[in-house]
């Protein structure tokens, strides 16, 4: 059995912790208890970018570490189906409860698409790196819109969904992650030298579960507090 790369687990753990903090602040604003401009205010937008960068670098690196020795189409598709299923659940839930801002292409949707697009490159770190720079350059130069390809589709999609991840430039970050994954697979694992307890990277090893559950828990908790305070 392949040993885990502790550095990658630590990166995912940091990403998931920061995401929980970000959504905690977002939910406080949603229930009207703070006036912070989450997610689009100064500082908060950049905070989200840091979280997405950590997540998507991890996606690219995980594609390499999980598949470079032997690619199992069955395991890849099972993992993809699991993520796609929860992405669909999130879309349906938000469409029902937050119709004007429902999530049609959020983090999980993006991971599904990015995994399909990038898995052919898992053994091509140099090409992945170059294509990553191309993707980011296309976006920064304005040649590709952050709304692509949805701006080409005649559907009544929300202008301000509660979560949206643009294919450009974020596909470039996944491609950078593939290049980083090749560095990690060569034995580079600096965090392993810290001898940190396994429980400190537990969230990173179960990031999908945490991603799915934390917001329903927050909403149940905050909703109950809001209902109790309103009924007093």
């Amino acid at each position: 059995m392949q040993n885990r790369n502790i550095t990658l687990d630590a990166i995912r753990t940091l990403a998931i912790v920061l995401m929980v903090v970000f959504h905690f602040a977002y939910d406080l604003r949603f229930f009207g208890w703070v006036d912070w401009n989450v997610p689009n205010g100064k500082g908060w937008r950049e905070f989200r970018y840091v979280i997405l960068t950590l997540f998507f670098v991890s996606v690219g690196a995980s594609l390499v570490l999980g598949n470079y020795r032997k690619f199992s189409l069955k395991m890849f598709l099972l993992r993809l189906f699991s993520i796609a299923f929860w992405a669909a659940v999130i879309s349906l839930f938000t469409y029902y409860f937050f119709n004007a801002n429902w999530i049609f292409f959020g983090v999980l949707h993006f991971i599904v698409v990015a995994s399909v697009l990038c898995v052919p490159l898992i053994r091509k770190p140099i090409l992945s790196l170059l294509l990553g720079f191309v993707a980011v350059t296309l976006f920064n130069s304005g040649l590709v819109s952050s709304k692509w390809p949805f701006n080409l589709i005649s559907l009544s999609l929300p202008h301000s969904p509660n979560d949206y991840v643009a294919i450009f430039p974020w596909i470039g970050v996944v491609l950078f992650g593939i290049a980083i994954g090749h560095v990690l697979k060569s034995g580079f694992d600096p965090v392993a030298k810290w001898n940190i307890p396994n429980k400190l990277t537990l969230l990173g090893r179960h990031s999908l579960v945490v991603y799915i559950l934390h917001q329903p828990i927050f909403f149940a908790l905050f909703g109950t507090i809001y209902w109790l305070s309103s009924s007093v």
Side-chain angles (χ1 to χ4, degrees):
M1 182 178 178
Q2 179 183 343
N3 293 328
R4 298 191 67 91
N5 187 283
I6 307 303
T7 299
L8 182 57
D9 284 340
I11 292 172
R12 275 197 296 254
T13 298
L14 177 59
I16 207 77
V17 169
L18 293 180
M19 181 200 65
V20 169
V21 171
F22 182 87
H23 284 161
F24 183 84
Y26 178 90
D27 294 347
L28 290 177
R29 178 178 182 267
F30 179 85
F31 282 96
W33 294 327
V34 297
D35 61 356
W36 305 332
N37 187 7
V38 186
N40 296 315
K42 184 177 180 181
W44 290 107
R45 183 186 298 110
E46 291 75 15
F47 188 23
R48 180 175 182 267
Y49 291 164
V50 170
I51 297 168
L52 293 181
T53 298
L54 292 172
F55 265 127
F56 298 150
V57 163
S58 298
V59 169
S62 295
L63 283 173
V64 174
L65 295 182
N67 298 286
Y68 79 95
R69 288 185 177 176
K70 180 182 179 181
F71 178 73
S72 171
L73 180 61
K74 179 180 179 181
M75 295 303 296
F76 176 76
L77 291 178
L78 283 174
R79 175 68 174 171
L80 207 66
F81 175 80
S82 175
I83 299 173
F85 171 79
W86 289 110
V89 168
I90 289 172
S91 288
L92 291 172
F93 178 85
T94 55
Y95 185 83
Y96 183 81
F97 288 100
F98 310 101
N99 183 259
N101 306 101
W102 69 282
I103 298 172
F104 63 90
F105 198 75
V107 169
L108 296 186
H109 308 72
F110 172 83
I111 290 176
V112 171
V113 172
S115 297
V116 172
L117 293 177
C118 294
V119 74
L121 297 167
I122 58 174
R123 293 186 176 91
K124 296 177 171 55
I126 302 301
L127 180 58
S128 296
L129 191 63
L130 292 175
L131 290 176
F133 279 115
V134 170
V136 172
T137 301
L138 286 173
F139 173 77
N140 288 334
S141 64
L143 294 175
V144 179
S145 167
S146 63
K147 298 297 183 182
W148 186 89
F150 302 105
N151 57 340
L152 308 177
I153 303 173
S154 298
L155 295 174
S156 299
L157 297 174
H159 295 291
S160 300
N162 285 334
D163 184 30
Y164 175 73
V165 177
I167 292 180
F168 289 91
W170 294 111
I171 192 71
V173 178
V174 178
L175 291 165
F176 293 153
I178 289 178
I180 292 170
H182 279 267
V183 175
L184 297 179
K185 84 174 180 63
S186 68
F188 183 72
D189 193 1
V191 176
K193 299 177 182 178
W194 300 354
N195 294 318
I196 59 177
N198 286 337
K199 62 184 178 181
L200 292 183
T201 57
L202 180 66
L203 296 180
R205 297 196 302 273
H206 302 281
S207 55
L208 180 60
V209 175
V210 179
Y211 185 91
I212 293 165
L213 292 181
H214 79 283
Q215 274 292 62
I217 292 173
F218 280 166
F219 263 77
L221 176 62
F222 292 161
T224 300
I225 295 172
Y226 183 84
W227 178 76
L228 289 174
S229 61
S230 300
S231 59
V232 174

